[in-house]
């Protein structure tokens, strides 16, 4: 898959294409259906498939400070889209100037002049152009003018729940990582660099990897979770009991993401790692005695093993 930063990256002699457009944060099951249909239609027509997304999130530019929690950073988004078979992932820099483009100018400059769109596939609630004035109906009118077809794909729902990035963020914010995974089609993933913490976990017999996560990353609600840890460059995944919170036992103030990797005796400091959240085990709480905390951690580890389908101990 080719990765472009802006449509100016399109090579000379670029032919016709089938294009889909969206923020695609999370690349959830609804997004997957749209992208897979785009790829299938492009294959049928014998042209390239192009997935357009934006960086940063448009709301950060249109309404500064309102940036929603990020489910997938651009690199992760590109990886997921590549797995769906797209030929090109085009990340458009979303600037103040870009946000002021009229729907007609956006279509002409991006879809017609640069990508030579033969067909465009979008979600039925797609909006575009200055102040989101463009609708799927308007896109269809412009398509007839410029010579491309338009398909407004229906939203994907299950049990009356429409899969959307907003819904998934609400699940993660509530700690319901199981519901988030059902909508994503995979576990929610959070990445970061392992940094040195207070080393209290080591003193308690449960050394943890403390993650420095991106400022706008979608971090699950405070609590203890069962999950998997993946290291950059490694092919294996490691079982982990993950703690998120301010460490109320020791009057902590900073919210942290810490992972106790089961049956692991290595050093992760400085490594970039990723966590897949499988299930929430319990909320965060403070114990009257440190001994009670240690007993609870031991119980958490046993439950983590059960959830992940591991033997009780190695």
């Amino acid at each position: 898959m080719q990765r472009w930063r802006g449509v100016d990256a399109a090579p000379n002699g670029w032919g016709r294409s089938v294009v889909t457009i969206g923020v695609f944060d999370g690349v959830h099951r609804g997004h997957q259906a749209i992208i897979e249909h785009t790829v299938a239609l492009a294959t049928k027509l014998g042209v390239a498939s192009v997935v357009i997304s934006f960086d940063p999130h448009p709301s950060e530019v249109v309404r500064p400070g309102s940036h929603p929690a990020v489910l997938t950073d651009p690199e992760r988004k590109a990886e997921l889209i590549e797995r769906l078979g797209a030929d090109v992932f085009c990340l458009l820099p979303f600037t103040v100037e870009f946000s002021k483009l009229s729907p007609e100018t956006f279509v002409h400059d991006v879809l017609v002049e640069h990508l030579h769109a033969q067909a465009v596939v979008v979600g039925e609630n797609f909006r575009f152009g200055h102040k989101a004035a463009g609708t799927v109906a308007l896109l269809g009118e412009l398509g007839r003018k410029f010579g491309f077809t338009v398909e407004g794909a229906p939203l994907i729902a299950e049990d009356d729940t429409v899969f959307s990035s907003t819904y998934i963020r609400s699940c993660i914010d509530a700690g319901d990582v199981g519901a988030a995974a059902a909508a994503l089609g995979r576990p929610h993933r959070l990445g970061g660099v392992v940094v040195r913490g207070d080393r209290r976990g080591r003193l308690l017999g449960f050394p943890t990897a403390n993650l420095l996560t991106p400022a706008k990353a979608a971090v699950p609600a405070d609590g203890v979770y069962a999950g998997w840890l993946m290291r950059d460059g490694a092919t294996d995944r490691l079982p982990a009991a993950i703690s998120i919170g301010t460490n109320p036992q020791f009057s902590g103030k900073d919210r942290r993401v810490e992972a106790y990797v089961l049956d692991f005796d290595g050093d992760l400091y400085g490594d970039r790692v990723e966590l897949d959240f499988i299930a929430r085990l319990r909320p965060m709480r403070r114990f009257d005695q440190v001994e009670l905390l240690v007993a609870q951690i031991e119980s958490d580890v046993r439950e983590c093993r059960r959830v992940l389908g591991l033997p009780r101990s190695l």
Side-chain angles (χ1 to χ4, degrees):
M1 183 182 76
Q2 299 181 46
R3 301 187 186 189
W4 301 348
R5 180 81 179 176
V7 289
D8 289 337
N12 293 330
W14 179 256
R16 303 300 296 272
S17 62
V18 177
V19 183
T20 186
I21 314 163
V23 176
F24 297 124
D25 188 24
V27 194
H28 57 64
R29 287 169 59 187
H31 296 151
Q32 292 166 32
I34 291 174
I35 294 169
E36 287 172 342
H37 180 66
T38 299
V39 171
L41 181 57
T43 301
K44 178 181 178 181
L45 296 175
V47 299
S49 55
V50 179
V51 178
I52 291 180
S53 187
F54 307 98
D55 182 48
H57 194 289
S59 65
E60 179 68 14
V61 175
V62 177
R63 297 178 297 278
S66 66
H67 197 306
V70 176
L71 300 172
T72 46
D73 62 26
E75 180 64 27
R76 172 69 169 158
K77 187 186 299 184
E79 291 173 358
L80 293 169
I81 289 172
E82 183 170 16
R83 293 178 190 176
L84 297 172
D87 294 308
V88 176
F89 174 60
C90 179
L91 198 61
L92 292 182
F94 199 93
T95 63
V96 172
E97 292 73 22
F98 185 85
S99 73
K100 294 179 179 178
L101 293 181
S102 68
E104 294 79 6
T105 300
F106 171 82
V107 167
H108 179 270
D109 291 0
V110 175
L111 299 180
V112 179
E113 286 295 302
H114 283 91
L115 298 180
H116 309 154
Q118 183 171 343
V120 177
V121 180
V122 292
E124 62 183 10
N125 62 344
F126 177 68
R127 304 299 292 262
F128 66 104
H130 185 48
K131 295 185 177 180
T135 62
V136 176
L138 176 59
L139 185 61
E141 293 176 15
L142 294 171
R144 288 187 288 273
K145 176 181 177 181
F146 290 114
F148 61 83
T149 62
V150 174
E151 293 187 30
L155 303 180
I156 303 298
E158 189 173 272
D159 297 329
D160 297 324
T161 297
V162 176
F163 296 140
S164 70
S165 300
T166 300
Y167 165 73
I168 294 168
R169 290 188 194 101
S170 69
C171 292
I172 293 169
D173 193 51
D176 192 347
V177 294
L184 286 166
R186 63 183 185 280
H188 172 56
R189 179 170 293 185
L190 179 65
V193 176
V194 178
V195 297
R196 294 190 180 275
D198 298 325
R199 302 175 70 87
R200 289 199 180 97
R202 187 175 298 277
L203 294 175
L204 297 174
F206 299 92
T208 59
N210 295 266
L211 267 67
L212 179 63
T213 59
K216 296 183 174 70
V219 178
D222 289 3
V224 177
Y225 298 81
W228 299 96
L229 181 145
M230 286 72 63
R231 298 168 290 176
D232 266 7
T235 57
D236 59 337
R237 60 178 187 171
L238 304 173
I242 305 161
S243 170
I244 298 176
T246 58
N247 200 342
Q249 190 69 32
F250 301 98
S251 302
K253 295 181 179 180
D254 297 326
R255 192 164 186 251
R256 297 181 178 182
V257 178
E258 304 177 59
Y260 169 62
V261 185
L262 280 60
D263 310 314
F264 180 75
D265 194 28
D267 186 352
L268 297 172
Y269 287 126
D271 290 356
R272 174 169 175 79
V273 302
E274 294 177 313
L275 299 173
D276 277 354
F277 291 83
I278 304 303
R280 191 180 194 217
L281 304 182
R282 64 174 176 87
M284 190 60 66
R285 57 171 293 200
R286 188 179 189 282
F287 296 85
D288 293 334
Q289 300 174 15
V290 172
E291 291 78 10
L292 295 177
L293 170 62
V294 172
Q296 181 61 63
I297 295 174
E298 291 172 344
S299 176
D300 294 338
V301 170
R302 289 193 296 271
E303 180 63 6
C304 184
R305 290 185 185 280
R306 187 193 68 79
V307 169
L308 300 178
L310 303 173
R312 296 189 61 170
S313 63
L314 296 181

